[in-house]
Amino acid sequence: MSAIPQVLTIAGSDSGGGAGIQADIKTFQELGVYSTSVITAVTSQNTLGVNAIYPMGREAVQSQLQAIGEDFQIAALKTGMLFNAEIIEETAYNISRFEWGIIVVDPVMIAKGGAHLLRQEAVAALKQHLLPLATVVTPNIPEAEVLCGMAIDDAMTRRKAAEKIISYGAESVVIKGGHGKDPYVTEDFYLNQSGECLLFRSARIDTTETHGTGCTFAAALTAEMAKGAGIKEAIYVAKQFIQAALTDGLHIGAGHGPTNHAAYKAGVSKREGENSVEIYG
């Protein structure tokens, strides 16, 4: 059996290379796991926005999942852009069929430029079929608001939203804080079924090079759990990974540029200080 953990990303392709399948594979490579992939849609996009979306048919998604399930030992997987209810249902069915155990659900809904990456009618399918299988769900604040049907504007509503998402059957949730109001600090809020909650706090990086941050965070979390890390340790590393990626910008494109997936391995987080991410119980 291979010594390198094998992981799977089920997501859309980003022609600009900053998010989706491309971001996931870069992150997996940097963190020392072997990536397989199932493409759910092909997007035509760059740092300025999404020009077009070409979803895969259900049969195409099923065929890819079948190929992975028959030949690879998947230690952990993440889902990203699933686009419609059919793809969500097929993904959930095959996760159960192949008994894949560590499931990171990144409920990708809206691109940085505002394009809708998940059809409205697919939200119900996500809650019904996929969230009950999730080890951890990683929405940003706008995505969490859609999933729980309420506004998140303070710590109390954030906690209530997390509890609502847990009620759908997920083992745990991390509500990412990039859309928060604090100009100096971002907080990622973790809650599990047992009621344990933690805050992962870091300095807000003043940059427009944020394309693919959600995909990258979820991919880093998946990689660390595939290697055997516990959920809290994995979140900590994923947070450090994205902090480094944001700190050491690539300056590519005229819009929301991609993050630097090579920065963490290059030691940027260490140069900026080991306490760049703080955990509060």
Side-chain angles (χ1 to χ4, degrees):
M1 185 175 178
S2 173
I4 186 171
Q6 299 159 49
V7 298
L8 169 61
T9 169
I10 307 169
S13 171
D14 173 6
S15 57
I21 290 283
Q22 288 82 352
D24 294 344
I25 292 174
K26 291 174 189 177
T27 303
F28 291 152
Q29 182 77 17
E30 290 295 315
L31 290 173
V33 296
Y34 178 82
S35 178
T36 63
S37 64
V38 168
I39 296 177
T40 59
V42 174
T43 69
S44 173
Q45 65 175 295
N46 53 32
T47 66
L48 299 172
V50 178
N51 298 324
I53 300 173
Y54 305 95
M56 297 290 105
R58 183 168 187 158
E59 183 179 349
V61 173
Q62 189 281 329
S63 180
Q64 293 177 80
L65 288 163
Q66 172 90 12
I68 299 302
E70 288 178 342
D71 193 38
F72 295 91
Q73 300 298 316
I74 299 302
L77 69 83
K78 73 167 287 275
T79 66
M81 175 189 174
L82 299 179
F83 190 69
N84 61 35
E86 283 192 344
I87 293 174
I88 290 169
E89 290 167 5
E90 194 63 46
T91 297
Y93 170 74
N94 282 277
I95 287 172
S96 297
R97 175 190 177 196
F98 291 111
E99 299 182 338
W100 290 324
I102 297 175
I103 316 298
V104 178
V105 175
D106 186 25
V108 177
M109 296 180 181
I110 301 174
K112 282 288 188 297
H116 287 266
L117 304 179
L118 182 70
R119 289 184 170 178
Q120 185 63 38
E121 63 270 22
V123 175
L126 186 74
K127 291 191 282 191
Q128 179 181 352
H129 298 289
L130 197 54
L131 295 193
L133 303 176
T135 306
V136 58
V137 188
T138 62
N140 58 32
I141 290 173
E143 291 162 347
E145 289 178 332
V146 172
L147 288 175
C148 69
M150 61 179 286
I152 300 173
D153 48 29
D154 56 23
M156 182 178 296
T157 52
R158 181 179 61 186
R159 171 69 183 247
K160 288 182 178 179
E163 290 173 346
K164 183 67 174 178
I165 294 169
I166 290 289
S167 76
Y168 298 134
E171 291 181 23
S172 62
V173 60
V174 178
I175 298 180
K176 297 171 293 190
H179 290 78
K181 299 175 182 177
D182 193 312
Y184 304 109
V185 172
T186 62
E187 289 182 344
D188 293 353
F189 178 76
Y190 167 81
L191 181 72
N192 64 20
Q193 286 185 348
S194 299
E196 180 184 18
C197 63
L198 294 170
L199 283 178
F200 295 80
R201 185 175 296 166
S202 59
R204 184 177 295 277
I205 307 300
D206 184 15
T207 178
T208 59
E209 298 179 68
T210 56
H211 183 55
T213 49
C215 304
T216 299
F217 174 85
L221 180 55
T222 305
E224 290 304 300
M225 293 179 74
K227 292 187 291 186
I231 180 68
K232 289 175 279 188
E233 179 187 352
I235 294 170
Y236 180 75
V237 172
K239 184 80 168 171
Q240 283 194 317
F241 190 96
I242 199 64
Q243 281 295 106
L246 288 167
T247 299
D248 197 20
L250 294 172
H251 312 300
I252 292 173
H256 291 286
T259 64
N260 184 357
H261 295 89
Y264 177 78
K265 196 171 180 179
V268 170
S269 61
K270 293 180 173 62
R271 295 202 303 269
E272 295 300 316
E274 290 294 346
N275 295 322
S276 57
V277 178
E278 298 176 334
I279 305 176
Y280 297 88

